[in-house]
Amino acid sequence: MAIRYELLKTCHQTGARLGRLHTPHGIVETPAFMPVGTLATVKAMSPEELEEMDAQIILSNTYHLFLRPGHEVVAAAGGLHRFMHWNRPILTDSGGFQVFSLSKLRHITEDGVTFRSHISGEPLFIGPEKAMEIQNALGSDIIMAFDECAPYPAEREYVETSLERTTRWAERCLKAHKRPDEQALFGIVQGGVYRDLRERSARSLTALDFPGYAIGGLSVGEPKEIMYDVLEYTVPLLPDTKPRYLMGVGSPDALVEGAVRGIDMFDCVLPTRIARNGTTMTSRGRLVVRNAKYARDFSPLDPACDCYTCRNYTRAYIRHLIKSDEILGLRLTTYHNLYFLLRLMENVRQAIREDRLRNFRDEFFAQYYGQNS
Ligand SMILES: CNc1nc2cc3nc(NC)[nH]c3cc2c(=O)[nH]1
């Protein structure tokens, strides 16, 4: 078995679960946030810094590594763990999402997707078998089925046709996967915002008995209330003995609301992406440190945070670095943002242990979104 999910407890106040995901590269305590390391690096962070902040698993992108440096190069290095000097768990996505979001001139057929590289413009192809070949070469602990993330909004007919093909692609992935004992292949539930289509997708995929399930097709521009709605009726269709991964989520509120609805794993570029333009997450909401009002503010980004950035640097100094486009500036804001979300998930796990996740959510939101301020 490539992975083993251990369900430790279900919160009595909510549907949230406390779990441990045993992988060949170590244990992941869930609910867990996965920092995104698209090009085999979590931008601006070293693996040692990620370990220091207790990141337990990171995500990397098949599409990007296929284009550059090429999965054969990573395989020749001994796999992604060796290549990037990260010896904890890695999850790779299957490339579908990036093909649709990054490349131009793409064309979907039953075989897969033809597209032009967003780097060189050369014509390329990825399908279920190719996505398995690439991820088998990368050697990640968890790999994702090749799917189509239907856009939002999308006609019901389009979503239906797409999910049927995604299910056929999932079957082809199961057949093409060469290393099921070392790399756990997750199925990805689609179906847009249509309840009966989500149920059909979940039923088809759970019948194929994947070791874990992702919920795809969300966090693609739909209102959060709609996303939470889809989770309410989709999560219960998934086996509670297996991990559930909500792809591309998310912001602090979405992480907490997702955990409340039984999600175990999350990934999002938000913390690293907004850090690069000086936007930080603090216990009292977002703080845009490049703002002039912080020019002489010698307090830490977040007085309630004990991370390396908050223990050693001030808002004024970080603002100066960001304004001067100094590399240390984005390193310090990235470190803090990742630390903030990883601590948030530790607090969520603790609240589940103590059966008080609903209370935690209300307290956290009041502080972060300032309902009571
Ligand atoms: C790899 N397959 C796959 N990745 C995804 C990544 C996403 N990232 C977001 N928001 C940032 N939504 C996503 C959906 C999917 C999805 O439906 N499928």
Side-chain angles (χ1 to χ4, degrees), residues 33 36 53 80 188-189 195 214 283 307 347 363:
F33 172 74
V36 174
M53 63 175 80
L80 197 48
I188 305 176
V189 177
R195 179 165 188 159
S283 44
C307 82
N347 292 334
E363 290 147 24

Side-chain angles (χ1 to χ4, degrees), residues 20 55 62-63 74 95 105 113 156 165 174 178 214 272 332:
R20 269 205 288 261
T62 290
Y63 169 84
V74 179
L105 295 175
V113 186
R156 181 196 152 80
R165 182 172 50 221
L174 279 167
K178 295 277 184 300
T272 40
L332 294 176

